[in-house]
Amino acid sequence: MNARVALQLSGVDRHYSQGDTFLSILKGADFTLRAGETVALVAPSGTGKSTLLHIAGLLERPDAGEVLINGRSCGTMNDEARTAVRRSDIGFVYQFHHLLPEFTALENIMMPQLIAGLGKSEAKERAAALLDYMRIGHRAEHRPSELSGGEQQRVAIARAVANAPLVLLADEPTGNLDPETAGYVFEALKALVRQSGLAAMIATHNHQLASLMDRRVTIEDGKVVEQA
């Protein structure tokens, strides 16, 4: 695969201290994610999945090692610079959609674009196009409470990619959905990755969905390990 590297973790350590207890979560972890690739992160609870996602998404700093986004080293950036990279290059999707309840589906997707400085008409046009792509354009003017779980999560995915990030990080994005809806949301997400050239790392306990991705990795003894 010759696609450019969107995200690279090199020799990443992360540990936590609680009183006299020293907990080592990641130990020299290496990971590479390329444009247009979907990678499933499948590992038991407590092994460091969320920690890995948070470090990859610049929400946490590693204790050692490098985090590179599109070839840029982000480890020594100050908080303002890291926030700027997150805003432009990284999209997040969580198990719970975290949509703003007082805004419509369309407005929720417009919000990150407006924060990034895009004009209102352009933001609205892109938000509407994303809703159409996710096959929920007819729900644009509905608030989250008026949407089904699958519709809410598709809005959350559209919001995550509204600013055309390089990397999409998802933490159990279908965990609250029934199997049929989860499959549909995942197919929409995968199609979006293919169409846009996004690089996506998706943490999931759903082995059936994981088997549909390009690669599967797990965390063993603090390291990221490829699965067959």
Side-chain angles (χ1 to χ4, degrees), residues 105 109 126-140 142 147-148 150-155 157-158 180 183-189 191-192:
I109 301 170
R126 178 164 173 78
L130 283 166
L131 284 172
D132 285 340
Y133 190 85
M134 302 299 284
R135 299 185 185 177
I136 47 173
H138 61 293
R139 308 290 272 167
H142 289 72
L147 303 174
S148 70
E151 288 170 339
Q152 290 172 345
Q153 200 62 316
R154 277 181 275 167
V155 173
I157 291 169
E180 183 177 354
Y184 186 86
V185 169
F186 175 74
E187 284 303 322
L189 175 57
L192 191 60

Side-chain angles (χ1 to χ4, degrees), residues 23-179:
L23 191 61
S24 186
I25 303 297
L26 299 176
K27 309 171 191 174
D30 297 318
F31 176 72
T32 299
L33 182 65
R34 296 180 180 275
E37 182 180 41
T38 56
V39 175
L41 174 58
V42 184
S45 297
T47 55
K49 290 197 308 295
S50 293
T51 297
L52 186 69
L53 287 171
H54 288 169
I55 289 174
L58 308 183
L59 294 171
E60 285 188 42
R61 292 182 184 271
D63 295 299
E66 285 282 348
V67 180
L68 293 95
I69 306 292
N70 199 27
R72 286 187 299 168
S73 177
C74 301
T76 58
M77 287 181 175
N78 61 30
D79 289 341
E80 185 178 353
R82 288 162 66 87
T83 297
V85 173
R86 280 199 305 271
R87 188 175 293 162
S88 63
D89 293 346
I90 303 172
F92 294 92
V93 182
Y94 298 99
Q95 183 171 348
F96 186 70
H97 54 77
H98 294 298
L99 298 175
L100 299 171
E102 65 271 29
F103 295 106
T104 66
L106 187 75
E107 290 166 342
N108 266 279
I109 301 170
M110 289 173 63
M111 200 65 63
Q113 300 178 74
L114 297 174
I115 291 171
L118 203 65
K120 187 174 180 180
S121 61
E122 192 175 350
K124 185 175 182 179
E125 183 178 343
R126 178 164 173 78
L130 283 166
L131 284 172
D132 285 340
Y133 190 85
M134 302 299 284
R135 299 185 185 177
I136 47 173
H138 61 293
R139 308 290 272 167
E141 298 304 323
H142 289 72
R143 287 181 169 77
S145 62
E146 300 169 315
L147 303 174
S148 70
E151 288 170 339
Q152 290 172 345
Q153 200 62 316
R154 277 181 275 167
V155 173
I157 291 169
R159 179 183 59 183
V161 302
N163 284 335
L166 300 171
V167 177
L168 181 69
L169 303 173
D171 195 354
E172 297 287 348
T174 61
N176 283 332
L177 306 176
D178 64 81

